[in-house]
Amino acid sequence: LHTLHGRSLPIAQGFKLGNNEMTVVAVGGDGDGYGIGCGHLVHAMRRNVDMTYIVMNNSIYGLTTGQTSPTSGMGMKTKSTPFGNPEMPLNPMTLALGAGVSFLGRAYTGNIKHLVEVIKKAIQHKGFSLVDTFSPCVTFNKVNTHQYYKEKCKDINEDGHDTSNLQAAFGQVTRDDYIATGVLYQAPRSYYEESEKETYAAGPIVNHKL
């Protein structure tokens, strides 16, 4: 279902709670998920509904032809900031960890094999999973390019990163010498539908008699 801009998560959570046997995946952009939809994201993460949210992060409003987004870097010149972006960019990874996300992944879309592995693990995770994907906008963002991510991204799982360590995850997502990718954090805990066992005892709500 194609929903309103910034409102994919409320709809997706409704699907999952209405039919808890469904595999639910929501997608959106950085302006969508980290801008107008950021409040929905925070509460979905703490609520821990069993679903996956994939954000296509290109650090620009590409659809509306090149304005700054919440993840655009400081000083970045765009149509809406011709003299340079004066705002500090949002770090969605620290936001997610602070909001209690139970699975956090990040990948570069130019590395398809790795991207698929991270998304697969996210979907298999029981609880809310956020996957931030670097998806360069070749038209309006000349800073965060494919070459930029090829040089900066590093799969920290190859180095034996402890995905259950919250402090280690915070450390990785605040580094400035490289961009940490892979499964950054995973801490299974009771997910929303699991805490509502009595509600789902007779099967998915969608099948209940009125």
Side-chain angles (χ1 to χ4, degrees), residues 73-95:
M74 287 190 71
M76 187 175 178
K77 293 183 178 181
T78 72
K79 287 186 176 181
S80 61
T81 56
F83 304 109
N85 178 24
E87 301 176 352
M88 184 178 75
L90 175 73
N91 185 334
M93 303 292 96
T94 55
L95 174 70

Side-chain angles (χ1 to χ4, degrees), residues 61-72:
Y61 275 101
L63 182 63
T64 52
T65 69
Q67 297 81 15
T68 54
S69 85
T71 55
S72 297

Side-chain angles (χ1 to χ4, degrees), residues 29-46:
D30 50 299
D32 177 2
Y34 305 145
I36 189 173
C38 192
H40 297 309
L41 174 61
V42 169
H43 294 294
M45 291 188 292
R46 72 173 183 84

Side-chain angles (χ1 to χ4, degrees), residues 154-162 172 178:
K154 176 182 178 181
D155 181 4
I156 61 174
N157 298 133
E158 293 183 344
D159 296 335
H161 167 67
D162 182 1
Q172 287 291 346
Y178 61 80

Side-chain angles (χ1 to χ4, degrees), residues 21-172:
E21 293 181 349
M22 291 179 67
T23 296
V24 177
V25 178
V27 297
D30 50 299
D32 177 2
Y34 305 145
I36 189 173
C38 192
H40 297 309
L41 174 61
V42 169
H43 294 294
M45 291 188 292
R46 72 173 183 84
R47 192 174 291 127
N48 204 32
V49 174
D50 183 21
M51 56 166 289
T52 298
Y53 186 37
I54 301 171
V55 177
M56 295 165 279
N57 186 354
N58 55 25
S59 299
I60 198 84
Y61 275 101
L63 182 63
T64 52
T65 69
Q67 297 81 15
T68 54
S69 85
T71 55
S72 297
M74 287 190 71
M76 187 175 178
K77 293 183 178 181
T78 72
K79 287 186 176 181
S80 61
T81 56
F83 304 109
N85 178 24
E87 301 176 352
M88 184 178 75
L90 175 73
N91 185 334
M93 303 292 96
T94 55
L95 174 70
L97 293 171
V101 71
S102 60
F103 181 102
L104 183 63
R106 186 159 61 181
Y108 161 51
T109 56
N111 187 344
I112 298 175
K113 183 178 179 181
H114 181 245
L115 173 67
V116 169
E117 291 176 354
V118 174
I119 291 177
K120 183 177 179 180
K121 291 177 181 176
I123 293 174
Q124 291 173 336
H125 173 77
K126 285 295 184 181
F128 188 91
S129 53
L130 171 65
V131 181
D132 184 67
T133 67
F134 294 124
S135 309
C137 175
V138 298
T139 305
F140 298 109
N141 189 338
K142 306 300 182 182
V143 177
N144 308 105
T145 62
H146 280 285
Q147 189 60 37
Y148 173 84
Y149 289 117
K150 286 179 182 178
E151 295 174 358
K152 295 282 287 184
C153 288
K154 176 182 178 181
D155 181 4
I156 61 174
N157 298 133
E158 293 183 344
D159 296 335
H161 167 67
D162 182 1
T163 59
S164 65
N165 189 323
L166 182 61
Q167 289 184 327
F170 267 109
Q172 287 291 346

